[in-house]
Amino acid sequence: MPTEHYAPRLVPPQRLWRLPSWLVNQISVLAYRLVIDAFSGAGFRRDHYAVLSGLEEYGPISQAALCRRLGIDRSDMVAVLNLLEHDGHALRRPDPTDQRRNAISITAAGRRTLRRLDGLVARAQDELLGPLSARERRHLVSLLQRLVDFHVGTPDGAGDSVE
Amino acid sequence: MPTEHYAPRLVPPQRLWRLPSWLVNQISVLAYRLVIDAFSGAGFRRDHYAVLSGLEEYGPISQAALCRRLGIDRSDMVAVLNLLEHDGHALRRPDPTDQRRNAISITAAGRRTLRRLDGLVARAQDELLGPLSARERRHLVSLLQRLVDFHVGTPDGAGDSVE
DNA sequence: CAAATCTCAGCGGCACTGAAATTT
DNA sequence: CAAATTTCAGTGACGCTGAGATTT
């Protein structure tokens, strides 16, 4: 027999409520759910979108270079590209200038898919940022960018023809 | 034969760089690494810290209520409490007023551990927020809190003696 | 009976490690 | 030879689902 019939407003512990890492993780899970839901109908995942984005922007590029730019592990990249290649969204060819590398490129079908996913992503962002004004959204994005920029830093110099 | 010997500044794709959900996820991973590293030496995980925080703040409480406040799944909570109970950091007793529930409470050892973890967490936050001023940190936290608050909303009324 | 609670088994996405094979 | 690239096998934390047993 509940003693509270009115919405009790479930408050998280003060310790966590003040904790940037906890807050960021909560939002990350929320964003994860929104984007996953948006993509699931189309049969894609977040890494697929990230990789297609990278391929369109950078043109032919090696897997390792893509990994560095996207912050995706080399091992996961293999699996993602297997799928994208199998579905005809990406192309994997040996790099003529360096036999160790693959030259990955996006296909026309990949570009079409990317555009479709763009719309789904945009709607998810809007849901995520719900209560924030346009100005606050810009501010938030800018703060997050500074943090990412600071931490990613300059991991390594590794540039080449397919870089 | 690399053509760039100077730090190339690895830029993520514009699409992702402007995307709040992507940025948040990147920071979340950074925070994850920092906190995991901080805790690993002590043999704890993030949920352990969250649960101990909740137990100290709310006193004896049921598992389901704790789950609601912390945003942890009921299934994971079982496993975490098994560990905490085994290590003497938490106590699991049947709730006399409702036989379905467990009344979970923190022990003296749990409080000591919590204090120790507080210090580790604080250092990790500082590393995470590195480049931001105190004012910017407050602003960021406030924006994140608004988002969490908005999305968690008021999931359910479920209050009782152990709530 | 419906609803809530606790527990267990299991799944899928995700970040990551280690090692092998090849090439530079 | 050291270093980089691709690939594969496997690990662990994490968020979540479904179902069963019990109690309200």
Side-chain angles (χ1 to χ4, degrees):
Chain A
M1 31 293 285
T3 56
E4 320 175 24
H5 299 102
Y6 320 100
R9 184 57 201 101
L10 298 182
V11 184
Q14 292 294 324
R15 263 189 182 76
L16 304 181
W17 186 243
R18 303 179 202 276
L19 208 62
S21 65
W22 185 84
L23 290 166
V24 157
N25 186 62
Q26 297 294 111
I27 315 276
S28 176
V29 172
L30 291 169
Y32 168 85
R33 283 197 279 248
L34 288 171
V35 177
I36 284 283
D37 285 356
F39 281 177
S40 64
F44 287 91
R45 292 197 320 251
R46 296 178 302 161
D47 6 4
H48 301 161
Y49 181 72
V51 169
L52 287 177
S53 299
L55 289 180
E56 173 167 80
E57 177 152 335
Y58 303 128
I61 185 174
S62 76
Q63 294 183 202
L66 245 190
C67 287
R68 271 174 238 121
R69 305 233 188 201
L70 303 180
I72 292 181
D73 189 82
R74 68 212 193 295
S75 197
D76 302 318
M77 179 64 76
V78 172
V80 172
L81 286 180
N82 285 344
L83 287 174
L84 290 180
E85 192 182 24
H86 175 271
D87 294 346
H89 293 104
L91 217 74
R92 191 153 28 179
R93 304 188 325 130
D95 179 351
T97 79
D98 188 334
Q99 301 286 40
R100 295 171 302 179
R101 296 176 173 173
N102 289 334
I104 317 292
S105 49
I106 190 172
T107 66
R111 283 182 215 274
R112 281 196 299 274
T113 294
L114 183 56
R115 300 259 150 59
R116 198 161 103 255
L117 297 182
D118 277 338
L120 301 178
V121 166
R123 282 224 308 277
Q125 306 305 303
D126 228 57
E127 290 186 62
L128 178 66
L129 301 182
L132 301 190
S133 71
R135 191 164 179 283
E136 288 168 328
R137 296 179 187 202
R138 282 195 303 272
H139 200 150
L140 176 63
V141 165
S142 144
L143 289 171
L144 295 176
Q145 285 174 343
R146 295 222 347 248
L147 287 184
V148 173
D149 198 42
F150 174 76
H151 284 282
V152 173
T154 301
D156 214 25
D160 207 329
S161 53
V162 189
E163 164 69 54
Chain B
M1 35 293 281
T3 57
E4 320 174 25
H5 299 102
Y6 321 101
R9 182 61 201 98
L10 299 182
V11 184
Q14 292 294 325
R15 264 190 181 76
L16 304 181
W17 186 245
R18 303 178 199 277
L19 209 61
S21 64
W22 186 83
L23 291 166
V24 157
N25 186 61
Q26 296 295 110
I27 315 278
S28 176
V29 172
L30 290 168
Y32 169 84
R33 284 197 278 247
L34 287 171
V35 177
I36 285 285
D37 285 356
F39 281 177
S40 65
F44 287 91
R45 293 198 319 251
R46 296 178 302 161
D47 6 4
H48 301 160
Y49 181 72
V51 169
L52 287 178
S53 298
L55 289 181
E56 173 167 80
E57 179 152 334
Y58 303 130
I61 185 174
S62 76
Q63 293 183 203
L66 243 190
C67 288
R68 271 175 238 121
R69 305 234 187 201
L70 302 181
I72 293 181
D73 189 82
R74 67 211 193 296
S75 197
D76 302 317
M77 180 64 77
V78 173
V80 173
L81 287 180
N82 285 344
L83 287 175
L84 290 180
E85 192 182 23
H86 175 271
D87 294 345
H89 293 105
L91 217 73
R92 194 155 24 180
R93 304 188 324 131
D95 178 352
T97 78
D98 187 335
Q99 301 286 43
R100 296 171 303 181
R101 297 176 172 173
N102 290 333
I104 316 294
S105 48
I106 190 173
T107 65
R111 283 182 214 276
R112 280 196 299 274
T113 295
L114 183 56
R115 300 258 150 62
R116 199 162 102 254
L117 297 183
D118 278 337
L120 302 178
V121 166
R123 281 223 309 274
Q125 305 306 302
D126 228 55
E127 289 186 62
L128 178 66
L129 301 183
L132 302 190
S133 70
R135 192 164 177 282
E136 288 169 327
R137 297 180 186 201
R138 283 195 303 271
H139 200 151
L140 176 63
V141 165
S142 145
L143 289 171
L144 295 176
Q145 286 174 343
R146 297 227 337 255
L147 286 183
V148 173
D149 198 41
F150 174 76
H151 284 282
V152 173
T154 302
D156 214 26
D160 208 328
S161 52
V162 188
E163 166 68 55

